[in-house]
Amino acid sequence: LAPAEMAEMKPDLVAGIVTEQGSRTSHTAIIARSLGIPAVLAVPGVVARVQDGSMVAIDGDSGEVHIDPDDATRRAIEAHSKEVAKRKMELRAIAGTGPSATADGHRVELAANIGSVLELQAAVEEGAEGVGLLRTELLYFNRPTPPTVDEQAEVLTEMAEIMGGGRIIVRTFDYGADKPVPFVQLGHEENPALGIRGIRLARSHPEIVLDQLRAIATAATGGGRFGAMAPMVASVEEAEWFVAQLKEAGAIGVEAGVMVEVPSAILIADRLAERLDFLSIGTNDLTQYLHAADRQHGGLSDMQDPFSPTLFRAVDQICRGAADKAWVGVCGEAASYPAWALLAVGLGVTELSMGAQSLLEV
């Protein structure tokens, strides 16, 4: 199931999703979580085992799929579902509406990863204080030409109104890998995850990224609070190029940042921070590249463990390098684990962005 198809799913029509391929850190799984649709991916042979009219029970938290469950199993699943709903109600009552902070008053912004107005509305309902990652790719799918500046600015302005005074961080397009678009012909790549994507593609198509940045500038002029960040940055020179594009687009007052998801960016975090307002750690791709394990490969899902000591050492080094220069956030799926979030805050992270459904627990 492609991310573009997943983005069009209606939560009131789709009760759950099971696929034979994919992984929990794929973009399809991430979008499903943000929409609140239970999804279990990488279940080999499941299609042949499910007949038309079969009852299927899905637990998106445990990753369990029950085909034609017996009465006892059904009762247990229904009881668990009620417990989850009760827990959410209790959390809503506890969370309140004030800014999030630790018990001693240390401020930590809790934001949401979104790709559409629908997802933003769901995030605000869950208590999001801002948007830590707006995936702009979803605005580009299923159309022969890129959206105009006015079209993009209209969407961003609507989001700013929904968000109130909260900051919206817009990631510039990250086509490629599992997110192709019809109006940019990349040709065949043996390993697209290591190919022409993110800022690499932006530099060969500067007109597309400039339009994005101009749209952000327009929405910011209307009173919205925005940041812009580039994906797949691997060098200081790429970061400087992105800052220059922001200036050319007239994005005054828009915070400039990059995603730290390429291992080389960890080693130069201090130099990147000197040129930027923030660094946002994309733990999904960063974990993939640190372990040389394809995040789309179901057979390697154990190597996408967010609690890997390697990943925590990377977060520590990034925070130390950026200290007193730029703030550090996390917009990868690791931020959605409450225990992981605690450790990240201890290392110096001051913004955590995640799928809306994880906000209350964190």
Side-chain angles (χ1 to χ4, degrees), residues 143-167:
R143 52 183 298 157
T145 58
T148 65
V149 173
D150 288 344
E151 285 177 315
Q152 295 179 68
E154 184 179 350
V155 173
L156 293 175
T157 299
E158 182 182 0
M159 288 182 171
E161 291 171 355
I162 295 170
M163 197 64 258
R167 175 178 53 207

Side-chain angles (χ1 to χ4, degrees), residues 190-353:
E190 290 296 333
N191 193 337
L194 299 179
I196 308 297
R197 55 175 291 204
I199 197 167
R200 302 167 186 177
L201 187 58
R203 297 187 74 176
S204 61
H205 293 274
E207 70 286 352
I208 300 179
V209 77
L210 266 175
D211 277 356
Q212 279 200 309
L213 299 178
R214 288 179 182 126
I216 297 169
T218 300
T221 302
R225 184 179 168 213
F226 287 94
M229 66 179 176
M232 290 294 289
V233 168
S235 68
V236 170
E237 193 257 339
E238 287 176 335
E240 291 175 337
W241 179 86
F242 182 67
V243 171
Q245 301 307 298
L246 261 175
K247 290 180 179 177
E248 183 174 340
I252 300 170
V254 175
E255 291 184 83
V258 300
M259 289 190 69
V260 180
E261 50 192 344
V262 178
S264 62
I266 301 168
L267 304 178
I268 56 169
D270 55 339
R271 297 182 62 200
L272 291 173
E274 289 170 354
R275 294 156 172 83
L276 301 161
D277 298 304
F278 68 92
L279 305 177
S280 187
I281 304 172
T283 56
N284 306 333
D285 269 339
L286 184 57
T287 303
Q288 167 179 249
Y289 296 132
L290 285 172
H291 294 102
D294 184 355
R295 61 186 281 194
Q296 309 291 338
H297 197 306
L300 298 174
S301 59
D302 59 325
M303 299 190 77
Q304 290 295 318
D305 180 11
F307 290 91
S308 158
T310 306
L311 181 58
F312 278 120
R313 287 195 175 196
V315 173
D316 180 44
Q317 187 165 338
I318 294 162
C319 289
R320 289 177 186 274
D324 301 322
K325 302 185 188 79
W327 61 265
V328 177
V330 175
C331 62
E333 289 297 293
S336 66
Y337 294 89
W340 197 98
L342 289 172
L343 290 165
V345 169
L347 292 173
V349 170
T350 58
E351 183 243 30
L352 295 162
S353 191

Side-chain angles (χ1 to χ4, degrees), residues 80-212:
H80 176 61
S81 182
K82 290 177 181 176
E83 288 174 7
V84 171
K86 181 183 177 183
R87 168 71 173 166
K88 179 164 273 194
M89 287 180 63
E90 292 171 347
L91 285 172
R92 285 186 189 278
I94 294 170
T97 57
S100 55
T102 58
D104 61 354
H106 179 70
R107 181 80 169 88
V108 181
E109 182 180 350
L110 292 184
N113 299 336
I114 67 161
S116 65
V117 171
L118 184 68
E119 288 182 46
L120 176 58
Q121 291 168 335
V124 170
E125 290 175 6
E126 296 296 314
E129 299 176 84
V131 172
L133 169 62
L134 170 55
R135 300 184 185 92
T136 54
E137 298 82 55
L138 300 185
L139 302 176
Y140 290 69
F141 287 143
N142 300 327
R143 52 183 298 157
T145 58
T148 65
V149 173
D150 288 344
E151 285 177 315
Q152 295 179 68
E154 184 179 350
V155 173
L156 293 175
T157 299
E158 182 182 0
M159 288 182 171
E161 291 171 355
I162 295 170
M163 197 64 258
R167 175 178 53 207
I168 298 175
I169 295 178
V170 183
R171 181 179 70 185
T172 54
F173 64 81
D174 190 18
Y175 316 136
D178 64 334
K179 295 174 292 182
V181 289
F183 50 83
V184 176
Q185 299 302 317
L186 293 174
H188 175 71
E189 290 187 309
E190 290 296 333
N191 193 337
L194 299 179
I196 308 297
R197 55 175 291 204
I199 197 167
R200 302 167 186 177
L201 187 58
R203 297 187 74 176
S204 61
H205 293 274
E207 70 286 352
I208 300 179
V209 77
L210 266 175
D211 277 356
Q212 279 200 309

